[in-house]
Amino acid sequence: MPRNEAAEMAVLGACIFQRDVIDQIRRILEPGDFYRPAHTTVWHALLELHKRQAPTDPIALGHELQRSGDLNRVGGTSYLHTLASAAAVGSGAAYYAEIVRQQADLRAMQAMAVRVLQGATAEGADPAEVRTLLNTSLKEVADRARRSSGGRLQRYAVDGWAFVTETATDSEPVWGQPGKAAWATGESLMLVGPPGVGKSTIAQQVVLARIGLITQVLDMPVQEGEKVLYIAADRPSQLARAFSRIIRPVDEKILRQRLVFWSGPLPASLIAEPHLLAELAAEHGADTVVIDSLKDVVGKLTDDEAGLAYNNARQQLLRDGVQLMELHHQRKQGQDASRSQRPVLDQVYGSAWFTAGAGSVLFVAGAAGDPIVQVHHLKTINGEIGPLPVTHDHERGTSRVEDHLDPLTLLRRAGTGGLTARQLAEQITGEANPSQADVAKARRRLETLARSGHAAQETGAGGGAGGGQATRWTATPSRHMAVVS
């Protein structure tokens, strides 16, 4: 069996010499990692002394083992002195502990292989049961690997002051402007909409921006990343055709180095292996993951258990510093549903846990073939974006914001008569009766234009017997700086 008893003795000897070393070693080793049972017994005794803040020298250790009745079983006081002498002065106990851990890992893998082999060769073996045994065993091995990386109970723990002062509270935009982010670092972006409205088209452009081929998408800057892993679980052939519209031969080197596609279903369920997304990103060296689409990696979207499991996988990935974009679908709409109605989060298909754990949710509203679709920001990170009227150029695989629906453009078009907040909301949303929220949003935009000097505000009068007059805004004339010679 794989083992290194000299490394085990060096670790225990270092703990006997220096009690504080125990805190360092316990983050690497578990009690069962020692090959010799006597070493496991000594380690338990050292932990007990450390817990009581007692000395760990051979005298105190021998007394503790005598009290528990284990002293003779481990080799007596002479063996404790042998252990103490095994620690070289100035040696790194953690280094020896890693050797002990590696040998324990190999023994665990051998035991796993034996269990699976016995299950597969047993009389009347069921392949489904053997696969379940194999998957369970592999998960145990993966869990061991994660626990050994800095200690599973310590790896992500920070003190209160560091958490409050060092954790980013102002999210840095991955896509968008500071204070107005469509996608922020450490928070996932969900692109939602019915089929045929250009979700993948928008996602493709953001991907190209993340690998440095373009700089903006929908008039918003995209922060360049390192490498993108695109999980093409839904119709990979169609996705390949879509990408072929927008890449050039000169892009080959960048695409080979900085973009990798996973084609088809994932190798395991995220419910059974929530760590899978993080492992895939680490395997391919990706700092960005795109899932196209959620229905193909989750399964039963309406199941809250599936939603919770996926959110667990999502948060593990984000915790590792990987950015995540998800493509998803809306609920089917009834025949009486108004196409001009502003979408809401309830229209996102599946368990509420999908949107609850997302950082930002952008909804692409429209129908397949619509010349202009509307991008709504249903869940914001800080400032709200849109609604943005967007036209897709399907031949070139690009998208643009229709600036003829820009508030300042509409205000200038209105001339000296100007616009009220309600009138602006009607033009932007295309609805004869815009909601109060849309009117309030239009008012904030007009007030922003007024503060920046692009619009003048004429305050209205309150109502009464003769009615009232709504506040109106008019565009100010373009101003030019005079050049003084």
Side-chain angles (χ1 to χ4, degrees):
M1 296 289 287
R3 61 189 182 276
N4 190 320
E5 295 184 44
E8 293 184 10
M9 294 173 69
V11 169
L12 294 174
C15 294
I16 291 171
F17 260 122
Q18 294 178 282
R19 187 171 65 88
D20 292 341
V21 172
I22 294 175
D23 281 330
Q24 184 181 15
I25 301 305
R26 68 193 299 184
R27 296 173 184 171
I28 303 172
L29 295 181
E30 298 176 3
D33 289 345
F34 292 97
Y35 175 76
R36 285 196 61 185
H39 290 168
T40 302
T41 302
V42 172
W43 176 243
H44 278 295
L46 286 169
L47 290 176
E48 180 62 29
L49 290 171
H50 181 70
K51 184 173 69 174
R52 301 202 306 261
Q53 297 185 338
T56 57
D57 58 80
I59 297 174
L61 182 57
H63 177 73
E64 176 65 23
L65 289 167
Q66 181 71 49
R67 187 185 64 81
S68 64
D70 295 318
L71 182 59
N72 290 333
R73 191 162 62 84
V74 302
T77 55
S78 62
Y79 189 67
L80 300 184
H81 287 282
T82 300
L83 288 176
S85 65
V89 177
S91 64
Y95 179 81
Y96 295 119
E98 290 291 350
I99 295 175
V100 175
R101 181 71 182 196
Q102 290 169 7
Q103 299 303 302
D105 285 344
L106 290 174
R107 293 197 301 273
M109 291 177 189
Q110 286 188 0
M112 177 203 75
V114 169
R115 289 198 306 270
V116 174
L117 181 61
Q118 290 175 340
T121 56
E123 185 177 354
D126 183 349
E129 293 180 357
V130 175
R131 279 193 295 270
T132 300
L133 175 62
L134 178 60
N135 289 332
T136 302
S137 301
L138 290 173
K139 184 177 183 302
E140 291 174 359
V141 171
D143 287 342
R144 263 190 71 84
R146 285 198 305 279
R147 290 199 302 269
S148 67
S149 181
R152 63 171 179 167
L153 301 181
Q154 297 290 333
R155 185 175 180 185
Y156 298 106
V158 296
D159 63 82
W161 178 257
F163 179 81
V164 173
T165 59
E166 297 174 13
T167 302
T169 54
D170 294 329
S171 300
E172 181 182 357
V174 175
W175 180 24
Q177 302 282 358
K180 209 169 188 180
W183 184 12
T185 55
E187 302 187 55
S188 67
L189 165 65
M190 183 181 288
L191 276 175
V192 185
V197 294
K199 297 188 301 295
S200 293
T201 300
I202 294 174
Q204 289 162 21
Q205 293 168 82
V206 175
V207 166
L208 295 184
R210 286 292 283 169
I211 61 176
L213 293 180
I214 58 178
T215 59
Q216 289 193 333
V217 179
L218 301 184
D219 296 339
M220 294 182 289
V222 179
Q223 181 187 81
E224 184 176 345
E226 294 295 330
K227 189 174 184 180
V228 176
L229 168 62
Y230 198 115
I231 299 176
D234 183 18
R235 298 171 295 174
S237 297
Q238 180 175 325
L239 184 64
R241 287 195 299 272
F243 264 96
S244 68
R245 301 172 302 177
I246 49 179
I247 64 170
R248 304 160 298 168
V250 71
D251 301 329
E252 178 180 353
K253 182 178 179 180
I254 292 178
L255 266 66
R256 288 192 181 277
Q257 294 177 344
R258 302 180 64 183
L259 178 59
V260 59
F261 285 87
W262 177 280
S263 183
L266 293 178
S269 165
L270 293 179
I271 297 178
E273 299 185 29
H275 54 278
L276 181 60
L277 285 181
E279 288 186 353
L280 275 172
E283 174 71 19
H284 296 285
D287 67 344
T288 305
V289 171
V290 179
I291 297 177
D292 189 357
S293 63
L294 280 186
K295 67 178 175 58
D296 303 288
V297 301
V298 175
K300 193 174 181 181
L301 291 167
T302 55
D303 186 357
D304 280 345
E305 182 180 356
L308 286 167
Y310 175 75
N311 192 47
N312 186 9
R314 167 200 276 159
Q315 299 306 327
Q316 288 192 44
L317 180 72
L318 295 172
R319 185 176 61 182
D320 286 351
V322 180
Q323 312 309 325
L324 175 63
M325 177 164 58
E326 309 147 335
L327 276 64
H328 193 27
H329 296 84
Q330 71 172 58
R331 297 182 187 275
K332 291 183 178 180
Q333 301 296 295
Q335 295 181 351
D336 57 344
S338 171
R339 287 182 57 186
S340 62
Q341 182 180 357
R342 178 182 173 84
V344 293
L345 278 177
D346 285 346
Q347 287 177 243
V348 180
Y349 186 77
S351 168
W353 292 110
F354 292 112
T355 55
S360 176
V361 178
L362 290 178
F363 195 105
V364 186
D370 280 356
I372 298 178
V373 296
Q374 294 281 335
V375 177
H376 298 268
H377 205 179
L378 302 191
K379 187 176 182 184
T380 63
I381 298 167
N382 32 50
E384 184 178 1
I385 294 168
L388 300 177
V390 173
T391 297
H392 299 299
D393 185 337
H394 294 290
E395 291 296 324
R396 295 182 174 86
T398 59
S399 307
R400 72 175 188 274
V401 178
E402 293 295 336
D403 58 6
H404 68 277
L405 294 180
D406 173 72
L408 182 56
T409 302
L410 294 172
L411 201 59
R412 287 172 175 164
R413 187 184 300 167
T416 57
L419 293 171
T420 65
R422 180 181 180 82
Q423 289 170 337
L424 178 63
E426 290 173 354
Q427 294 192 37
I428 290 177
T429 64
E431 299 179 24
N433 295 300
S435 68
Q436 291 184 353
D438 288 327
V439 174
K441 187 189 308 180
R443 181 177 293 105
R444 289 195 298 270
R445 292 182 170 186
L446 290 167
E447 290 170 347
T448 299
L449 291 174
R451 285 194 298 270
S452 64
H454 291 92
Q457 177 177 325
E458 181 183 345
T459 304
Q469 183 177 356
T471 299
R472 304 186 76 84
W473 287 262
T474 55
T476 56
S478 300
R479 294 170 295 176
H480 301 279
M481 293 293 291
V483 179
V484 181
S485 58

